[in-house]
Amino acid sequence: MLFTLFSLGSMAGAIAGGKYASRFDYLFLLSVLIVVNAVTLVFMSLVTHWYLMLVYAGIIGIVAATIITIGHTLIARLYEEKRFKMMGIMDFMFSFGALSASFYVTGLYLLSENWRLPLQVMAGIMFLLSAYTLACAVRSSKSVSGDVATERKTLSFKVVLRQPVFLFMAVLTFGYGAIEFGNANWFVTYAQTGLGYTGEQARNLLACFTGGMVISRLVYTYFLRFVTVHHLIMVLATGTLLGTLSIKLFTDLYLLGLGNFILGFSLGALFPLVLSSAMNIDSDNGPVLSGVSIVANSMGVQIASFSTGVWANSATINVAFWVIPMAGLVLWLSSIGFAYKMKAAR
């Protein structure tokens, strides 16, 4: 229930952010949203009833998705010449934050084994971040000439989704979310229950996947020196499909580790690469494109996670884990359509 409400909140936040964020100054709005996130974390750390935790998880999902939408748009507009590289760095930091979260909590638990403490410390960090963002917003507004006005308007999802290239992008990011979180949520169970590995071995195998994702987001722009964007998308999508098949068909420890790394390395760079490519086609609708990708991603997360669990209940986890290669096939097919339409649009 906690993660379901967080995902539903993320979808709502992505829609609201994509549609309405352009009506405001991005940095001022970002500062306000970070404060809202910090206050919500404080309230979450004070709860005494579990149902309030669910409410706050939904609120954080809404705010977090809106922040990500604004972040993608700022990157796309501030670094037009280095869009692929900077989008990769932003998504690297997202993965690095997710990877670091367990170490952050473990470190604070050395001081006090209190689940409220990590939330309160994070809230304090976010208050400082909001103050810094507000200072940047004030400095930015003073440096802009008074006669230069940025057009602020409500954007439309309908206009964007009428274009086939962005429909393929939505399906591709759906497959992306299904693979990333389907594997993250179920691989350890699959490796332990289905293949007989110990918990430590299963977690180390999954670490090969997350490590591959983090590395790929740092280095993928290097390959753009040698291949075109649409060719790199196809190579990474093919690597992702092969990676999903590897982790399902292999049973050897080292081959599973290699398959997980290939899957993570191929998958990790796809999101920033595809979103940057979409914004190159239509940068004016950046918030909507980010919103579409987040909504599709969240739907993939939910469907893959729940379908694997339901299938495992009626069959076995060994059978149910075929959901990951099936999502890999969806991603690969949609990447063909996206790469072709993107090349034509450019």
Side-chain angles (χ1 to χ4, degrees):
M1 292 177 69
L2 188 78
F3 288 107
T4 298
L5 282 172
F6 178 82
S7 293
L8 290 175
S10 296
M11 293 168 68
I15 293 170
K19 192 172 181 65
Y20 299 111
S22 291
R23 298 180 64 177
F24 306 93
D25 180 280
Y26 286 132
L27 285 176
F28 278 112
L29 180 58
L30 196 59
S31 177
V32 171
L33 289 170
I34 294 171
V35 166
V36 172
N37 217 4
V39 171
T40 307
L41 285 172
V42 171
F43 286 155
M44 182 180 276
S45 72
L46 301 175
V47 298
T48 55
H49 300 287
W50 65 269
Y51 59 84
L52 286 175
M53 183 70 80
L54 299 181
V55 174
Y56 293 138
I59 294 171
I60 287 177
I62 292 171
V63 176
T66 309
I67 288 173
I68 293 171
T69 299
I70 295 171
H72 284 146
T73 306
L74 279 172
I75 290 293
R77 294 189 179 180
L78 290 174
Y79 300 98
E80 194 167 337
E81 298 299 321
K82 299 188 292 183
R83 185 172 290 163
F84 290 106
K85 180 178 180 179
M86 297 306 295
M87 198 77 79
I89 290 175
M90 177 184 167
D91 283 344
F92 160 75
M93 294 305 296
F94 186 84
S95 297
F96 184 67
L99 189 64
S100 303
S102 59
F103 298 104
Y104 162 76
V105 173
T106 301
L108 288 177
Y109 267 36
L110 295 176
L111 301 176
S112 173
E113 240 180 85
N114 175 11
W115 67 267
R116 302 174 193 271
L117 181 62
L119 297 175
Q120 292 166 348
V121 172
M122 183 58 66
I125 293 171
M126 297 198 81
F127 278 123
L128 294 175
L129 179 61
S130 176
Y132 174 74
T133 307
L134 181 60
C136 290
V138 172
R139 189 166 62 247
S140 175
S141 64
K142 288 180 179 179
S143 66
V144 175
S145 174
D147 58 355
V148 177
T150 303
E151 186 181 2
R152 295 178 182 177
K153 58 183 178 180
T154 301
L155 301 178
S156 171
F157 278 79
K158 188 183 296 184
V159 171
V160 167
L161 291 176
R162 282 175 181 165
Q163 303 178 57
V165 63
F166 298 135
L167 280 176
F168 280 118
M169 181 198 74
V171 178
L172 199 160
T173 51
F174 169 88
Y176 178 96
I179 296 168
E180 180 182 5
F181 286 92
N183 193 47
N185 291 342
W186 285 105
F187 180 80
V188 172
T189 302
Y190 166 69
Q192 283 186 267
T193 308
L195 302 180
Y197 287 106
T198 65
E200 183 179 357
Q201 288 174 321
R203 287 188 292 272
N204 288 337
L205 288 170
L206 184 61
C208 295
F209 169 72
T210 54
M213 288 195 68
V214 170
I215 294 170
S216 70
R217 287 179 170 176
L218 275 182
V219 304
Y220 82 94
T221 53
Y222 173 78
F223 298 106
L224 290 174
R225 300 177 183 180
F226 311 106
V227 296
T228 60
V229 174
H230 66 277
H231 281 137
L232 184 57
I233 289 173
M234 284 306 308
V235 169
L236 291 174
T238 302
T240 298
L241 177 59
L242 293 176
T244 60
L245 290 171
S246 297
I247 62 173
K248 181 64 188 75
L249 298 177
F250 293 154
T251 56
D252 178 76
L253 178 70
Y254 296 105
L255 289 177
L256 274 173
L258 178 62
N260 263 303
F261 181 80
I262 291 172
L263 176 58
F265 190 83
S266 301
L267 185 69
L270 264 177
F271 189 87
L273 183 62
V274 167
L275 186 55
S276 298
S277 301
M279 289 186 175
N280 279 346
I281 298 171
D282 189 358
S283 60
D284 290 339
N285 280 305
V288 173
L289 294 172
S290 178
V292 168
S293 65
I294 293 172
V295 170
N297 187 293
S298 298
M299 290 177 65
V301 171
Q302 291 298 311
I303 291 174
S305 297
F306 278 113
S307 62
T308 303
V310 170
W311 199 356
N313 282 337
S314 59
T316 64
I317 186 62
N318 291 52
V319 176
F321 204 68
W322 276 107
V323 167
I324 308 302
M326 289 164 64
L329 182 61
V330 170
L331 182 145
W332 184 73
L333 292 173
S334 58
S335 70
I336 296 174
F338 178 77
Y340 174 76
K341 290 293 184 181
M342 180 199 73
K343 183 181 178 182
R346 293 189 66 184

